[in-house]
Amino acid sequence: MQIGIIIIGDEIVNGSRQDSHFVFFRQLLQQHGLYMAWAQYLPDDRAIISRQLVQSFKEKVPVFVTGGIGATPDDHTRQACADALNLPLVPHPEALKTIEVISAEHGDKLDSPAHLQRAKMADFPLGAALIPNPFNNIAGFSIQEHYFLPGFPKMAHPMAQWVLDQYYRQNFFQHKLETKAALVDGIPESRIVPLMEQIEQNWPGIKTFSLPTIREDLPANEQIHQYRLEFGLKAWGKDCAMLPEVWEEAVQKLKQLGATNIILLNKSSEG
């Protein structure tokens, strides 16, 4: 099973704050036999967020969304989600009740500016469900398999674990990912493109990849002329059974194309 990640925040996009969500979510998913489908970084821009969410909702892939669900003027994610789904933004009774308790603990009356500002964090698209926040009890929300979390890692990360346990436990370790790869010398990447296309056409369950690098084990004056490819194949679930046969055929084709050296890499199976 694959899950997408949307990370929202001007401070991350412009580099003033280092992102810690991507690495966390990649590791979290791997720990449960799940995989990252894709990742996006978006600014605090309501129109941009809404446009990306429209597309994301169409894809029917579960998505974690971090950032922008606070109550300051630069938080637009709740409103953008409602826009994307053409739904009204309404107070969630349970979330609002929790915020009223928090305001009372701070000594803020329910008609005070402080409480009214804080209460905006209970406004969610109509029909949204709550995601509990163990850090400060101000909930996130979910709708159509999109899970909206705060930007703060100490809040977002345990909330993401709760989502997986609550909604996707049955999907843990259901689909194995297996990879075969090798370092290939002697041929440029352009020469193996037809091979990659042929493999994916003949075996739709297998994906190819190629990562060109410059050989650093050579003298500096020779490195610019000596490229090395990391070439590989990936398969999921039942398609893993065909991977050894396809890999052997791919290795033979690489030799025929002029590969002078093929160094097999130890790529372990996951899931």
Side-chain angles (χ1 to χ4, degrees):
M1 178 181 178
Q2 295 183 310
I3 298 179
I5 312 294
I6 297 177
I7 300 166
I8 296 171
D10 284 345
E11 70 283 355
I12 294 176
V13 173
N14 65 29
S16 62
R17 179 175 295 180
Q18 185 173 2
D19 168 53
S20 63
H21 291 306
F22 179 85
V23 172
F24 167 80
F25 278 104
R26 184 186 62 191
Q27 294 174 346
L28 176 68
L29 296 176
Q30 289 177 348
Q31 289 167 5
H32 295 84
L34 307 172
Y35 308 103
M36 188 176 293
W38 44 261
Q40 292 182 334
Y41 289 90
L42 301 179
D44 290 305
D45 184 297
R46 180 169 171 173
I48 292 176
I49 298 169
S50 178
R51 184 167 63 245
Q52 295 301 315
L53 287 174
V54 167
Q55 179 61 36
S56 180
F57 282 120
K58 291 179 181 178
E59 293 175 358
K60 306 298 183 183
V61 173
V63 177
F64 282 112
V65 184
T66 70
I69 64 171
T72 57
D74 61 339
D75 290 317
H76 302 290
T77 303
R78 293 176 292 107
Q79 300 91 328
C81 177
D83 293 342
L85 293 172
N86 196 25
L87 291 172
L89 202 62
V90 297
H92 190 289
E94 188 177 343
L96 184 58
K97 184 176 180 180
T98 300
I99 291 176
E100 288 174 352
V101 172
I102 293 172
S103 291
E105 291 173 350
H106 283 79
D108 297 324
K109 295 182 179 180
L110 298 186
D111 60 352
S112 67
H115 170 72
L116 295 176
Q117 184 69 18
R118 192 179 291 123
K120 292 180 181 179
M121 290 186 288
D123 291 344
F124 301 140
L126 182 65
L130 299 187
I131 301 174
N133 181 344
F135 187 83
N136 64 3
N137 291 326
I138 297 179
F141 69 97
S142 66
I143 190 166
Q144 295 192 18
E145 287 199 283
H146 282 55
Y147 304 95
F148 294 84
L149 312 174
F152 293 104
K154 286 187 177 181
M155 300 181 190
H157 295 177
M159 294 168 73
Q161 179 66 71
W162 181 90
V163 167
L164 294 183
D165 290 336
Q166 183 75 11
Y167 296 111
Y168 299 104
R169 182 176 293 274
Q170 72 276 10
N171 298 104
F172 292 173
F173 299 104
Q174 292 299 303
H175 299 284
K176 179 176 68 172
L177 167 64
E178 189 170 334
T179 304
K180 298 276 190 183
L183 298 177
V184 181
D185 295 330
I187 50 177
E189 188 176 42
S190 58
R191 195 178 298 175
I192 69 168
V193 171
L195 172 61
M196 298 172 72
E197 292 174 341
Q198 181 183 21
I199 291 172
E200 295 198 4
Q201 181 178 354
N202 293 342
W203 293 278
I206 292 180
K207 299 298 181 184
T208 63
F209 64 89
S210 174
L211 304 172
T213 60
I214 295 175
R215 290 188 59 175
E216 297 181 356
D217 58 330
L218 298 173
N221 63 334
E222 298 181 19
Q223 287 180 7
I224 192 170
H225 303 293
Q226 297 294 328
Y227 288 91
R228 167 171 280 175
L229 304 177
E230 180 180 340
F231 170 82
L233 309 178
K234 295 180 181 179
W236 286 264
K238 61 181 178 59
D239 292 317
C240 292
M242 69 179 75
L243 194 59
E245 177 184 351
V246 179
W247 176 251
E248 288 301 320
E249 182 174 333
V251 169
Q252 294 304 315
K253 291 288 182 63
L254 290 172
K255 293 177 180 178
Q256 294 172 11
L257 289 170
T260 58
N261 193 25
I262 300 177
I263 305 170
L264 298 181
L265 297 176
N266 183 21
K267 292 286 187 177
S268 61
S269 300
E270 303 176 33

